[in-house]
Amino acid sequence: MLKETTAEEAPIRDAVANEDGIDFTLIELFFFAYRDFTSDPDQMLAEYGFGRAHHRVLHFVNRRPGLTVAELLDVLKITKQSLARVLKQLLDTGHIMQLQGPRDRRQRELYPTAKGRELALALSRPQSRRIHDALTEVEGEARKSIEQFLKAMVNPELRAQIDADPSHRGADDEE
């Protein structure tokens, strides 16, 4: 015997569209772009038994050597418990080393090793190629617009984390 369904329980057979100001097209493009952007590094990381969290830690430790654990937690917006396992693996495998802070002995500064630098670069190369190839398909001043757009996607109160990195300063900012 079939159960009677209410209108709320009935299957909806048409796809959701751009309704209520929701831009599903761009949302979906972000999903697909992120899927492909992370696919090459994901395959490499799997060979080490690592995941995306390892990639993020390697990336920021290589971009900001001497970053403290507290600063890394703030950048990644994760808990100390979430970071502990990933960081332990990277330390145990010799990709990252941890040194006591020079001013505060409780601080732990993180540095890449040659092995960690090599892996971070290997993970970044296919992503850089993908970005380069995509930028060659767009016209003119697109790179600056894309940078502005991506920065605008970051919560305003967290944009200082981007601005603090000298490599993110545009030509207009350097004088």
Side-chain angles (χ1 to χ4, degrees), residues 27-172:
I27 291 170
E28 197 166 285
L29 285 171
F30 265 97
F31 282 130
F32 288 125
Y34 184 72
R35 176 200 64 194
D36 293 351
F37 182 73
T38 57
S39 64
D40 294 320
D42 283 351
Q43 289 175 2
M44 288 185 254
L45 289 161
E47 294 172 19
Y48 292 85
F50 293 166
R52 289 186 187 161
H54 296 84
H55 186 184
R56 288 189 289 273
V57 170
L58 277 169
H59 174 84
F60 284 106
V61 169
N62 273 277
R63 293 288 291 151
R64 302 174 188 181
L67 186 73
T68 66
V69 170
E71 290 167 335
L72 182 59
L73 288 169
D74 190 46
V75 166
L76 297 177
K77 294 295 178 208
I78 60 173
T79 65
K80 196 181 262 189
Q81 184 178 0
S82 298
L83 178 62
R85 179 189 59 82
V86 169
L87 189 54
K88 180 175 180 354
Q89 286 179 304
L90 291 169
L91 291 165
D92 290 348
T93 56
H95 289 91
I96 288 179
M97 65 183 308
Q98 182 173 268
L99 300 176
Q100 196 174 61
R103 290 175 293 290
D104 184 344
R105 298 173 71 188
R106 295 170 297 173
Q107 274 191 330
R108 294 174 291 153
E109 295 180 346
L110 303 172
Y111 295 89
T113 63
K115 184 177 180 180
R117 174 67 49 95
E118 185 179 317
L119 180 56
L121 290 171
L123 295 169
S124 296
R125 281 186 189 102
Q127 291 181 316
S128 181
R129 274 192 303 272
R130 185 176 294 278
I131 290 169
H132 178 267
D133 291 349
L135 286 173
T136 61
E137 291 187 29
V138 294
E139 302 284 329
E141 290 288 311
R143 181 191 176 93
K144 187 172 185 175
S145 296
I146 292 166
E147 285 182 11
Q148 291 171 336
F149 171 77
L150 292 172
K151 186 175 179 181
M153 291 282 296
V154 175
N155 289 341
E157 67 276 10
L158 301 177
R159 291 179 191 160
Q161 292 175 332
I162 298 167
D163 296 335
D165 186 342
S167 67
H168 286 121
R169 275 192 244 133
D172 300 341

